[in-house]
Every structure is written in structure tokens, then in C-alpha cells.
Amino acid sequence: MKRLAVVEKVYNEYLQYTDTMFTRFATHKELDLKTITQGIKDMCIFIKDSSRYLLRVIHSADVHDIHFLTSHSLRTTVLAITIGFQLNLSLSKLVELGISCIVHELGMLKIPPHLYTTERLLTLSEKRILLTHPVLTYNILKDYGLPLNICLGALEHRERENSSGYPRKLNGSEISLYAKIIGVACTFESMTSGRRFKEAQNANAVLLELLRNTGNQYDENILKALLC
């Protein structure tokens, strides 16, 4: 239990770090790649040493006082890096994956918040605005000089193996590895985490649903890595 408490404390520190990163970008247009890189590198080491405890923490942490984009981005990053370890990615690639994932929703800050927090059905025009967020994120990251593979991970994380995703309807062979990993992690996190406007689903049930892979939306190897 002592180890679990330590992991929970460190995770909460990462939550605050992520929240500060989003806030600094929203208020000062600040995005410090050097600081983010070091933070993600430290996070990779932390996840490697603590994944058994950390995966328990991310589904039990009380994040009501944290903006849901912050908690979603961090939880998804923990899951993505965990998948990356299962796929035997090198540390440098894990860091790139983690950077791409921690900022993959940054474009949401350029969209009116009511479009992604409302409980009502969106109009067609509102949906179109919401679906621009990967492109908005890509443009932000490109403008700040982030490497192309990191930018593409954020741009393509909503693409799907069967070309049913967006924004470019790519097929499996055209989607970057980082985007495939983030896509699976992002979906799992969204389905298993409660929001003010929806209940969390059971993690085991979500895993089974994803593993069925109805319509061949996700890369099978990445789904198997999530299961491990």
C-alpha cells in the first residue's frame, strides 16, 4: 500500500504538470519542447518501474478539480507509453510517442468549450467544428517546430484502419505508428473514464469490445499490447 500511495502522489504531480502546460499554452501561447521532452522521459522511466500500480491509480484518481482535457491527455499518455513498452519501442521512440500523446488534444483549446462538454446532440455544423481539432493540433505543433512524426501522431490519432476515421480517411498502411497507438489509448481512456455528462464503462467490458474490433478499426497488434 505504501508503494501505491507513492505512485498516486507522483501521478497527481504529473496531473498538475499537464494542467499547467495546457494553461500556459492557453494563456501565454507557451509550449516548451525541451521541458516537455524531459518530463516525458522521466514519465517513461516512472511508468516502467510502476505500471502495475499506475494503471490502478489512473482509473481511481479523483480528478473533479482538474479540467477533463488534462486528465484525458495524461491518462491516455500513460496508456500509450505502456502499450509502447509492450511493443518494445526504444526509449527515444517512447519519448516521441509520449510527447505526441500529451499534446494530442491541444487543438481543443481553439474550439468553444461547450462543443466538447455539452450533453445535447451537436448540430452538423458544430460536429464539423469539433472534428477539426486534430488539424488544429497539428498546425500548433508544426508552428512550434515539433518534429514531423510527433505532429503526425496527433494529426492522425482519429484515423482508423478501415478508413472510417478523420480528418483524411487514411487506411491502416497510411497511418503512423504513434497515431495508431494514441488512437487505441485515447478510445480506451474515453470509454473507461467518467465525465460530468457520462458514466464510465467497465474496463474489462471495454477491452472485450475493443478486442472484437468490429469493422476492423484498430491495429490488432496494438490491441493485444493494450491487453497485456
Side-chain angles (χ1 to χ4, degrees):
M1 293 301 293
K2 183 177 180 182
R3 178 61 179 167
L4 184 62
V6 170
V7 170
E8 186 172 7
K9 178 177 182 294
V10 175
Y11 176 76
N12 286 330
E13 289 171 356
Y14 275 118
L15 264 179
Q16 292 300 325
Y17 164 81
T18 307
D19 197 53
T20 298
M21 181 191 71
F22 271 78
T23 301
R24 293 292 297 179
F25 178 78
T27 58
H28 295 79
K29 298 297 181 286
E30 178 183 302
L31 196 63
D32 187 342
L33 179 58
K34 184 177 180 180
T35 301
I36 295 171
T37 301
Q38 186 57 56
I40 293 295
K41 186 175 182 180
D42 293 342
M43 190 186 298
C44 288
I45 296 168
F46 175 60
I47 291 171
K48 183 179 181 180
D49 294 339
S50 311
S51 61
R52 182 162 63 93
Y53 297 96
L54 189 55
L55 293 176
R56 289 169 60 188
V57 168
I58 67 172
H59 292 299
S60 62
D62 184 358
V63 293
H64 293 301
D65 294 331
I66 295 288
H67 194 286
F68 95 87
L69 285 179
T70 297
S71 59
H72 168 69
S73 297
L74 180 58
R75 286 172 165 171
T76 303
T77 300
V78 170
L79 290 165
I81 292 173
T82 301
I83 291 170
F85 273 116
Q86 292 297 325
L87 295 173
N88 296 314
L89 298 187
S90 66
L91 179 59
S92 62
K93 290 186 180 299
L94 287 169
V95 171
E96 288 180 342
L97 169 63
I99 295 170
S100 186
C101 195
I102 201 76
V103 297
H104 79 281
E105 299 285 26
L106 211 55
M108 285 288 198
L109 296 179
K110 291 184 172 290
I111 293 174
H114 71 272
L115 294 185
Y116 52 82
T117 58
T118 183
E119 299 178 41
R120 67 172 174 81
L121 291 176
L122 298 179
T123 66
L124 184 58
S125 61
E126 288 173 332
K127 286 180 181 177
R128 286 173 178 160
I129 293 171
L130 191 61
L131 296 183
T132 64
H133 80 271
V135 176
L136 294 174
T137 301
Y138 173 80
N139 289 335
I140 291 168
L141 303 183
K142 186 178 64 172
D143 289 346
Y144 280 79
L146 273 70
L148 180 60
N149 53 351
I150 291 176
C151 297
L152 289 178
L155 174 65
E156 299 171 358
H157 79 278
R158 288 289 186 174
E159 303 286 357
R160 295 295 178 256
E161 297 288 305
N162 60 4
S163 301
S164 65
Y166 62 90
R168 296 185 290 166
K169 294 191 177 300
L170 302 179
N171 64 44
S173 63
E174 298 171 317
I175 305 168
S176 70
L177 175 62
Y178 296 162
K180 292 184 179 192
I181 295 172
I182 296 170
V184 168
C186 183
T187 300
F188 182 79
E189 195 286 327
S190 294
M191 295 174 72
T192 58
S193 294
R195 303 279 190 262
R196 182 179 58 81
F197 48 90
K198 76 174 185 70
E199 293 291 325
Q201 297 183 49
N202 177 271
N204 290 331
V206 171
L207 267 177
L208 287 174
E209 182 176 339
L210 290 178
L211 287 168
R212 290 191 190 101
N213 205 8
T214 303
N216 188 33
Q217 295 187 68
Y218 304 102
D219 185 292
E220 292 285 351
N221 291 327
I222 293 171
L223 289 174
K224 289 175 184 176
L226 174 64
L227 179 63
C228 294

